[in-house]
Amino acid sequence: MPAKPSGKAHYSVYVIELDARVWNHARFREANPEHDITRPCVYVGMTGLPVERRFANHRRGHKSNSFVARYGVRLLPDLYRRLNPMNYELARLTEVTLGQRLRARGYAVWQA
């Protein structure tokens, strides 16, 4: 069941570094034609859980993005920490905007 919008500021956006082998997937490459090879491949998401718990869930395959389950390396808190916490609606918007900004900076970005 999808999360209900809430005014409570307990949602977070997060960024996970992906192993460079994710670049072998055509879907990932096609989504990132302007990738700067000096920047990492990343996944950008949002959660109502503590970010570390959400990353652990991804890694064990629980409600996980397949790229993160297979290639997730570590959280990159310097790219998101200052943004959190926020309410649900702001987190939804921030997730998209953060992904766009990182892609514009040359990161290869995947978002669910």
Side-chain angles (χ1 to χ4, degrees):
M1 179 158 92
K4 294 180 182 175
S6 170
K8 294 182 180 180
H10 75 275
Y11 291 89
S12 298
V13 294
Y14 59 93
V15 180
I16 297 172
E17 180 180 355
L18 302 175
D19 186 282
R21 292 175 295 168
V22 72
W23 193 252
N24 294 327
H25 292 268
R27 284 183 339 166
F28 194 90
R29 285 192 313 273
E30 291 166 5
N32 294 285
E34 303 296 320
H35 174 52
D36 173 350
I37 62 169
T38 66
R39 300 280 190 171
C41 299
V42 298
Y43 175 85
V44 177
M46 66 160 278
T47 185
L49 299 173
V51 171
E52 295 79 9
R53 185 182 313 161
R54 181 67 187 111
F55 179 54
N57 286 346
H58 272 296
R59 292 295 311 268
R60 66 184 175 97
H62 178 70
K63 297 184 180 179
S64 181
N65 175 270
S66 62
F67 288 144
V68 179
R70 291 176 67 187
Y71 301 108
V73 175
R74 64 187 173 110
L75 290 165
L76 297 175
D78 289 346
L79 297 177
Y80 64 83
R81 184 183 299 123
R82 65 179 167 55
L83 303 171
N84 297 325
M86 62 191 87
N87 68 35
Y88 177 80
E89 291 301 327
L90 185 56
R92 282 183 16 157
L93 295 172
T94 302
E95 175 189 5
V96 173
T97 302
L98 179 58
Q100 291 169 340
R101 288 182 179 167
L102 291 174
R103 191 173 275 126
R105 291 174 48 196
Y107 288 81
V109 177
W110 192 262
Q111 290 178 291

